[in-house]
């Protein structure tokens, strides 16, 4: 079968059946702005920012929703399109209390601010009534801040909850300017079908839905760094980006390219991370003293006592008197060295892990 | 899992048994919801009315511990209706004829008698799964944590084999692992029967290989399982190393377990918190945690992924591999000169046939699903595509057995245990994460509202729950998630030590504890009293 192509800004681009113009354009230099688009969700075509011109077609079309057709000739950045986009972004910005929100708010929270910069749209040309009703104060859940003053009705949260999570906790009431994102009976999130997976926060492009836990660290000094790792809870193995400021772990964001989760997380991976820097952590080795209590000890001392205890048992009761249980939570290197300690040290197979319980 | 997670949205019939997936593996459950949105049909078998059941086309609310009977009934229907994949049977399996003859006597009516599931529903489930183009089976501990755990798994294999639902996209037998690296602990040889990479210790060729690698011949006999070792504490077993496991709270029969650990001459525990188990140790070592440790883990689909440190550990905490290696060196053992997690992982790859094509750098993006038998191999997302590990897929003739305990006059109620969405295991981690308490602040016993009334309990009030092994106080929560006569609790809160009660028996082959079933007596109580082990 011969390859199909479309032309984008004078460049010939091959595409796969079913691909949208926006997806194909992603492989070119074209920079089509989007707001209601999340690559994991079905095309929505709500914000009209991504419109492009197609030769032979009267009106511009939303490139996030329109499928490629062989031979299409597409222009993504004509003056008319850019003017239209600037106006749109200006209107959206003027409806919101603030365009700039702290990046700790959420994965996509900077999208609107980036567009405002690109289109120099902080003009407040359309300043007027603000849409959206904030639920910051009355919904006191510790995870998800609901500041609908900042909402631009892109429906990404509604769609991610339905399409990705299958939870349908978030709904919409009203229309047009009075559109309000809400949950069942206008209640609080914990009275709804919400599972606090945080996916709505991750997809919100304005910070209207924001990560309340991470935002506790707004004033922690230092730039935000991201480190890719894997959630420590269940066996799905979701990829996350740990957010740190200096030596503080300040939050977690889903890794959109995580091979096992493709951006999805549950409450545990999203919010149950601060045990790591909890004051109860063990910080030194402990040794049982003559008084029967555990006392802090140096590594040197503790390692000697630990080793001596195993050797004593071996000498008195034989090498089959030693046993080790490896963790199903710690990394490979822990399990491997545990079994190596038993096999290479005592020449037995007296080792197991905790999968049996 | 025989198939990768991304396959979860591809089957046209999904059979979930013994898995409360929306709570225990929430992100995996989203895959199933996507399949359903595309028109797939869902069969859910679980004693409780779990959230997943609300999405199901056929719900099979079986009595706890009666899975084998249910599965035999379904196999009977598939055989009787001529829905067996004859071609697959002939080409890929053995023992099929005997199996088909075996299931002829296990009618849905017989299965109803044992499982309590209406015969018509067993019939419907058999027909649905039998007719599937791509039928996939998912299960978790609800299947394995029984004295007949192996029989349960084998019964599921029989079902997949007879319908040819294995070795293809969107099919397979898919256990969902409960812990982030439980698969990895097995991969790395932390098993009494296998070296790293599942190489049996009883095979002299493997022994020769590891004698060379480890500098000495290792026993040809199997090691003890953890269950036996705990029973032998103070007798044969005198010294124990426990890494990062709160054995005392998560293992069955807590009284027995505490006694066992206390009777050791020497107990060394490595953990990030002073858990109830660590509090019994002679030496406790502080380990680095999530976000502080470089390393590797393997998820439930056998994907090998890197863990990365983002923050420094508190105080003098150190990585587990470093602690164990230091201890080994002080014992005078050689070969523990590792300087990094990378060194350790690369040694694993050099000795494991399933990791032979991997190394530290190659797994940076988590792109590989093992087995990766050689350099340049792309990985193996779908197992058993052309052939089974031992050549042909073997049918096993399984008979139903009662659980170790069956309800009686003294203990008339079934207790089953599990996990909740917001908490994890013994809550050493989720319990110390801020905000989680907002959603889940205490444990409660889920009881059907009619049972609450019949047994003189009050919703939100206390009760005393007693098994043959002990007795605990717990708050009552009336909910239709529990069927009549069966109650549910998680083992996450150490002030409600549910595992004081459990531990009625073990699977004779894997020695997995029967955590899912025990029988209890429940009485109203006005105030909580301390737990007692009898
Ligand atoms: S809350 Fe955020 S994601 Fe939801 S509609 Fe408003 S702007 Fe979009
Ligand atoms: S985020 Fe949730 S589903 Fe994903 S690995 Fe963690 S606990 Fe499992
Ligand atoms: S991104 Fe295409 S219409 Fe919003």
């Amino acid at each position: 079968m011969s390859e199909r192509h479309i032309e984008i800004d004078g460049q010939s681009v091959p595409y796969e059946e079913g691909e949208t113009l926006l997806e194909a354009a992603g492989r070119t230099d074209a920079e089509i702005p989007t707001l209601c688009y999340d690559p994991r969700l079905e095309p929505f075509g709500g914000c009209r920012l991504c419109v492009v011109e197609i030769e032979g077609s009267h009106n511009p079309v939303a490139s996030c929703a329109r499928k490629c057709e062989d031979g299409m000739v597409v222009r993504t950045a004509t003056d008319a399109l850019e003017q239209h986009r600037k106006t749109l972004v200006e209107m959206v910005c003027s409806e919101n209390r603030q365009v700039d929100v702290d990046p700790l708010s959420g994965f996509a929270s900077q999208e609107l601010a980036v567009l405002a910069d690109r289109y120099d749209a902080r003009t407040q040309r359309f300043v007027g009534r603000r849409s959206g009703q904030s639920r910051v104060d009355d919904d006191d859940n510790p995870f998800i801040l609901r500041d609908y003053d900042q909402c631009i009705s892109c429906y990404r949260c509604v769609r991610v909850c339905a399409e990705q999570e299958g939870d349908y906790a978030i709904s919409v009431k009203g229309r047009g300017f009075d559109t309000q994102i809400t949950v069942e009976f206008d209640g609080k999130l914990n009275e709804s079908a919400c599972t606090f997976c945080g996916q709505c926060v991750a997809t919100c492009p304005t910070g209207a839905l924001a990560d309340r836990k991470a935002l506790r660290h707004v004033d922690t000094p230092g730039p935000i760094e991201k480190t890719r790792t894997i959630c420590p809870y269940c066996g799905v193995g979701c990829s996350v980006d740990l957010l740190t400021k200096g030596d503080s772990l300040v939050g977690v964001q889903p890794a959109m390219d995580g091979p096992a989760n493709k951006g999805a997380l549950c409450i545990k991976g999203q919010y149950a991370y601060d045990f790591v820097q909890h004051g109860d952590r063990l910080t030194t080795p402990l040794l049982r003293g003559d008084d029967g209590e555990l006392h802090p000890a140096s590594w040197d001392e503790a390692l000697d006592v630990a080793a001596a205890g195993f050797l004593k048992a071996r000498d008195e009761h034989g090498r089959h008197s030693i046993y080790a249980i490896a963790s199903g939570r710690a990394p490979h290197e822990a399990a491997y060295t545990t079994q190596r300690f038993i096999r290479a040290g005592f020449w037995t197979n007296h080792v197991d892990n905790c999968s049996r319980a | 899992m025989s198939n990768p997670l991304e396959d979860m949205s591809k089957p046209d019939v999904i059979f979930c048994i013994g898995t409360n997936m929306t709570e225990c593996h929430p992100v995996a459950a989203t895959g199933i919801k996507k399949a359903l949105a595309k028109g797939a049909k869902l069969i859910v078998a679980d004693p409780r009315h779990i959230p997943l059941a609300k999405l199901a086309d056929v719900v099979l609310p079986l009595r706890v511990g009666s899975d084998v009977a249910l599965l035999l009934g379904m196999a009977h229907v598939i055989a009787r209706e001529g829905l067996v994949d004859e071609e697959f049977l002939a080409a890929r399996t053995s023992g099929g004829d005997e199996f088909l003859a075996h299931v002829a006597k296990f009618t849905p009516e017989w299965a109803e008698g044992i499982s309590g599931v209406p015969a018509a529903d067993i019939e419907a489930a058999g027909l649905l799964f039998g007719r599937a183009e791509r039928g996939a089976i998912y299960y978790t501990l609800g299947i394995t944590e029984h004295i007949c755990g192996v029989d349960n798994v084998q019964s599921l294999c029989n079902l997949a084999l007879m319908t040819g639902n294995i070795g293809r996209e969107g099919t397979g037998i898919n256990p969902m692992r409960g812990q982030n690296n439980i698969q990895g602990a097995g991969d790395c040889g932390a098993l009494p029967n296998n070296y790293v990479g599942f190489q049996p210790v009883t095979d002299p060729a493997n022994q020769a290989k590891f004698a060379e690698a480890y500098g000495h011949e290792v026993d040809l006999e199997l090691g003890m399982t953890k269950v036996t070792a705990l029973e032998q504490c103070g007798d044969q077993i005198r010294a124990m190393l426990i890494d990062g496991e709160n054995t005392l709270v998560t293992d069955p029969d807590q009284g027995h377990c505490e006694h066992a650990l206390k009777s050791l001459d020497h107990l060394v525990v490595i953990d990030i918190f002073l858990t109830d188990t660590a509090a019994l140790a002679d030496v406790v070592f502080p380990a680095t945690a999530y976000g502080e440790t470089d390393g590797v883990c393997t998820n439930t689909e056998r994907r090998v992924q890197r863990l990365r440190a983002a923050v420094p550990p508190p105080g003098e905490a150190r990585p587990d591999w470093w602690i164990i290696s230091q201890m080994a060196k002080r014992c005078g053992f050689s070969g523990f000169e590792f300087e990094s997690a990378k060194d350790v992982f690369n040694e694993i790859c050099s000795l494991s046939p399933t990791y032979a094509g991997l190394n530290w750098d190659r797994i940076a993006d988590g792109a590989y699903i093992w087995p990766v038998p050689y350099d340049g191999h792309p990985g193996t997302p779908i197992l058993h595509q052309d052939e089974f590990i031992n050549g042909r897929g073997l049918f096993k003739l399984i008979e139903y057995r009662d659980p170790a305990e069956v309800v009686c006059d003294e203990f008339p109620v079934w207790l089953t245990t599990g996990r909740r969405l917001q908490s994890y295991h013994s809550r050493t981690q989720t319990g110390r994460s801020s905000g989680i308490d907002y959603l889940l602040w205490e444990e409660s016993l889920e009881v059907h509202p009619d049972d609450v009334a019949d047994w003189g309990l009050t919703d939100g009030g206390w009760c005393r729950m007693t098994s043959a092994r002990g007795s605990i106080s717990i708050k009552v929560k009336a909910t239709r998630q529990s069927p009549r006569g069966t109650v549910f609790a998680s083992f996450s809160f150490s002030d409600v030590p549910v595992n004081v009660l459990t531990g009625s028996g073990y699977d004779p082959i894997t020695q997995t504890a029967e955590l899912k079933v025990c029988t209890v007596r429940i009485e109203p109580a006005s105030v909580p009293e301390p737990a007692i082990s009898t």
Side-chain angles (χ1 to χ4, degrees):
Chain A
M1 203 175 71
S2 72
E3 257 192 355
R4 305 154 194 262
H5 287 78
I6 59 172
E7 190 188 303
I8 299 179
D9 297 337
Q11 193 184 338
S12 174
V13 185
Y15 69 90
E16 308 241 335
E17 190 61 42
E19 255 189 323
T20 61
L21 298 178
L22 184 66
E23 283 161 346
R27 293 191 295 275
T28 73
D29 296 335
E31 286 178 38
I32 304 178
T34 62
L35 254 184
C36 70
Y37 175 71
D38 179 328
R40 301 174 300 155
L41 303 176
E42 293 296 317
F44 181 63
C47 74
R48 308 284 304 164
L49 258 187
C50 68
V51 289
V52 295
E53 289 172 4
I54 298 175
E55 219 167 78
S57 139
H58 243 354
N59 295 318
V61 301
S63 61
C64 69
R66 184 60 177 268
K67 301 260 193 295
C68 298
E69 285 165 35
D70 203 16
M72 258 182 182
V73 178
V74 180
R75 279 181 295 273
T76 70
T78 63
D79 288 347
L81 287 172
E82 286 293 282
Q83 190 51 50
H84 155 87
R85 289 171 184 155
K86 177 174 165 69
T87 308
L88 270 180
V89 179
E90 279 178 316
M91 286 173 71
V92 168
C93 288
S94 62
E95 271 185 35
N96 280 9
R97 187 182 66 240
Q98 67 197 89
V99 170
D100 298 294
V101 297
D102 194 282
L104 289 173
S105 302
F107 176 82
S109 63
Q110 304 305 299
E111 283 186 22
L112 180 59
V114 167
L115 286 173
D117 288 342
R118 174 168 166 187
Y119 289 101
D120 190 17
R122 291 165 214 259
T123 56
Q124 297 289 328
R125 260 207 301 155
F126 301 97
V127 80
R129 202 153 64 92
R130 298 234 164 88
S131 63
Q133 206 183 344
S134 168
R135 300 290 300 265
V136 172
D137 298 324
D138 78 321
D139 190 338
D140 59 353
N141 84 75
F143 307 115
I144 299 178
L145 186 83
R146 302 166 67 198
D147 184 4
Y148 295 127
D149 286 353
Q150 304 282 81
C151 174
I152 58 167
S153 302
C154 70
Y155 286 47
R156 279 163 68 164
C157 56
V158 183
R159 287 144 60 212
V160 83
C161 192
E163 288 174 32
Q164 277 290 112
E165 291 298 307
D167 284 332
Y168 301 92
I170 307 181
S171 53
V172 186
K173 70 173 187 185
R175 281 171 166 264
F177 188 81
D178 294 316
T179 303
Q180 171 80 38
I181 304 295
T182 184
V183 296
E184 235 186 344
F185 310 124
D186 260 348
K188 299 195 210 177
L189 282 177
N190 73 331
E191 298 154 352
S192 74
C194 175
T195 62
F196 294 94
C197 66
Q199 289 285 292
C200 54
V201 170
T203 194
C204 180
T206 67
L209 295 172
D211 183 337
R212 204 170 225 162
K213 250 181 111 153
L215 284 173
R216 296 181 307 182
H217 287 277
V218 167
D219 296 328
T220 303
I224 302 170
E225 313 246 15
K226 290 190 181 187
T227 306
R228 176 66 51 90
T229 190
I230 306 295
C231 169
Y233 292 103
C234 86
V236 174
C238 296
S239 294
V240 297
D241 283 328
L242 297 178
L243 308 185
T244 52
K245 282 185 169 185
D247 288 348
S248 301
L249 177 57
V250 299
V252 166
Q253 285 179 358
M256 293 302 160
D257 54 348
N261 58 319
K262 312 218 164 57
L265 287 182
C266 79
I267 182 173
K268 288 186 280 260
Q270 176 64 68
Y271 291 118
Y273 55 84
D274 37 347
F275 71 90
V276 172
Q277 299 196 322
H278 193 280
D280 287 354
R281 283 287 301 279
L282 290 169
T283 56
T284 67
L286 302 175
L287 268 186
R288 194 163 301 278
D290 296 334
D291 58 357
E293 302 292 316
L294 288 168
H295 299 283
S298 72
W299 274 101
D300 220 27
E301 217 183 333
L303 285 166
D304 278 342
V305 173
F310 287 114
L311 295 180
K312 182 162 178 275
R314 180 192 67 186
D315 295 342
E316 288 176 5
H317 302 283
R319 57 196 176 87
H320 289 98
S321 68
I322 319 288
Y323 200 84
I325 302 173
S327 172
R329 317 286 319 280
H332 278 41
E333 295 73 21
Y336 180 75
T337 46
T338 301
Q339 67 87 39
R340 198 183 199 288
F341 177 64
I342 293 297
R343 292 201 161 104
F346 301 100
W347 318 324
T348 75
N349 293 303
H350 272 5
V351 59
D352 205 347
N353 64 66
C354 36
S355 71
R356 283 159 223 277
Chain B
M1 291 170 70
S2 66
N3 287 56
L5 286 164
E6 66 176 11
D7 266 22
M8 293 188 84
S9 56
K10 297 176 185 166
D12 58 356
V13 177
I14 299 167
F15 182 22
C16 291
I17 179 163
T19 167
N20 184 10
M21 201 187 292
T22 55
E23 293 205 52
C24 299
H25 300 89
V27 167
T30 61
I32 289 190
K33 291 174 186 170
K34 281 183 197 152
L36 299 181
K38 285 196 244 165
K41 300 277 185 242
L42 175 65
I43 306 168
V44 172
D46 200 283
R48 302 165 59 219
H49 303 295
I50 53 173
L52 202 58
K54 297 193 185 87
L55 308 173
D57 298 276
V58 181
V59 181
L60 308 169
L62 73 170
R63 189 261 292 152
V64 286
S66 66
D67 307 72
V68 166
L70 176 77
L71 297 171
L72 281 169
M74 282 175 66
H76 172 97
V77 174
I78 292 167
R80 191 190 62 205
E81 297 300 316
L83 299 171
V84 171
D85 184 340
E86 301 287 356
E87 213 174 297
F88 187 85
L89 229 63
R92 302 280 314 267
T93 71
S94 57
D97 291 343
E98 293 83 345
F99 176 74
L100 296 181
H102 174 70
V103 298
K105 57 181 178 287
F106 300 115
T107 61
E109 290 71 25
W110 167 86
E112 172 175 351
I114 290 171
S115 67
V117 179
D121 293 338
I122 300 174
E123 192 94 21
L127 290 177
L128 197 54
F129 195 77
R131 289 185 181 136
E133 174 55 35
R134 290 176 310 282
I137 298 171
Y138 296 93
Y139 68 90
T140 50
L141 298 177
I143 276 292
T144 50
E145 280 181 354
H146 288 288
I147 56 161
C148 51
V150 168
D151 291 353
N152 286 347
V153 172
Q154 194 59 55
S155 303
L156 292 172
C157 292
N158 288 341
L159 214 55
L161 286 176
M162 77 189 297
T163 53
N165 277 308
I166 187 128
R168 285 185 291 130
E169 192 176 62
T171 68
I173 307 182
N174 301 291
M176 311 288 301
R177 307 274 173 203
Q179 298 175 348
N180 59 330
N181 202 32
I182 200 71
Q183 177 72 52
D187 292 2
C188 294
L191 290 169
N193 55 339
N194 288 330
Y195 292 112
V196 59
F198 302 96
Q199 303 173 82
V201 298
T202 46
D203 181 340
N206 294 334
Q207 198 191 26
K209 171 175 174 182
F210 284 88
E212 186 173 341
Y214 293 163
H216 196 284
E217 276 178 20
V218 172
D219 287 349
L220 260 181
E221 313 93 74
L222 302 178
M224 275 183 197
T225 64
K226 172 179 138 186
V227 167
T228 312
L230 285 172
E231 269 164 18
Q232 286 289 321
C233 283
D235 295 327
Q236 193 189 329
I237 300 299
R238 298 302 183 116
M240 195 178 274
L241 168 66
I242 300 182
D243 183 17
E245 194 205 11
N246 196 2
T247 311
L248 208 53
V249 179
T250 57
D251 274 33
D253 199 349
Q254 192 165 327
H256 166 79
C257 186
E258 180 169 349
H259 176 78
L261 296 180
K262 280 185 171 162
S263 49
L264 290 166
D265 299 345
H266 187 56
L267 174 62
V268 176
V269 171
I270 304 173
D271 213 320
I272 62 171
F273 293 111
L274 190 65
T275 60
D276 294 344
T277 309
L280 298 178
D282 300 290
V283 186
V284 181
F285 288 118
T288 57
Y290 169 57
E292 300 164 351
T293 316
D294 288 322
V296 177
C297 64
T298 303
N299 78 351
T300 190
E301 59 180 340
R302 293 168 280 111
R303 187 183 294 280
V304 188
Q305 309 197 92
R306 279 267 286 282
L307 304 165
R308 292 180 184 83
V311 287
E316 300 169 21
R318 296 276 189 279
D320 308 65
W321 64 263
W322 183 90
I323 299 170
I324 297 159
S325 299
Q326 289 296 317
M327 212 164 52
K329 283 200 225 172
R330 293 192 191 220
C331 287
F333 305 155
S334 60
F336 286 88
E337 290 76 29
F338 304 115
E339 284 185 359
S340 63
K342 175 175 173 174
D343 286 352
V344 182
F345 184 71
N346 286 342
E347 177 169 316
I348 296 172
C349 296
S350 73
L351 290 169
S352 166
T354 51
Y355 285 25
L358 297 179
N359 62 39
W360 181 261
D361 297 319
R362 210 165 285 162
I363 60 165
D365 298 329
Y368 289 94
I369 291 183
W370 70 251
V372 188
Y374 52 84
D375 242 19
H377 187 283
T380 315
I382 301 180
L383 290 179
H384 320 302
Q385 290 210 62
D386 303 313
E387 102 170 334
F388 292 98
I389 292 162
N390 302 318
R392 294 173 88 80
L394 288 187
F395 282 98
K396 294 255 169 66
L397 307 187
I398 311 285
E399 304 261 358
Y400 168 75
R401 287 182 287 147
D402 274 335
E405 283 178 356
V406 179
V407 284
C408 58
D409 288 348
E410 195 184 357
F411 301 114
V413 177
W414 298 103
L415 165 68
T416 179
T417 67
R419 225 175 254 166
R420 298 182 192 280
L421 171 65
Q422 301 89 351
S423 70
Y424 183 83
H425 255 69
S426 60
R427 277 183 100 250
T428 50
Q429 300 185 2
T430 50
R432 288 187 178 90
S433 291
S434 73
I436 301 292
D437 286 355
Y438 172 84
L439 301 172
L440 182 76
W441 57 92
E442 63 180 3
E443 187 49 63
S444 52
L445 184 69
E446 297 185 0
V447 186
H448 190 281
D450 295 345
D451 285 340
V452 170
D454 272 11
W455 302 341
L457 308 174
T458 37
D459 191 8
W462 290 93
C463 76
R464 190 75 181 166
M465 176 158 63
T466 308
S467 79
R469 286 155 298 279
S471 152
I472 64 165
S473 294
I474 184 169
K475 273 194 183 165
V476 174
K477 182 179 173 207
T479 168
R480 289 180 192 279
Q481 282 221 147
S482 289
R484 293 213 59 181
T486 301
V487 296
F488 169 85
S490 85
F491 51 80
S492 289
F493 288 78
S494 60
D495 57 338
V496 185
V498 173
N499 281 332
V500 162
L501 309 179
T502 56
S504 50
Y506 294 92
D507 186 290
I509 300 173
T510 63
Q511 301 216 319
T512 300
E514 181 138 76
L515 274 179
K516 286 288 158 189
V517 193
C518 85
T519 62
V520 294
R521 167 172 81 237
I522 293 171
E523 293 138 323
S526 46
V527 287
E529 310 241 7
I532 303 172
S533 292
T534 46

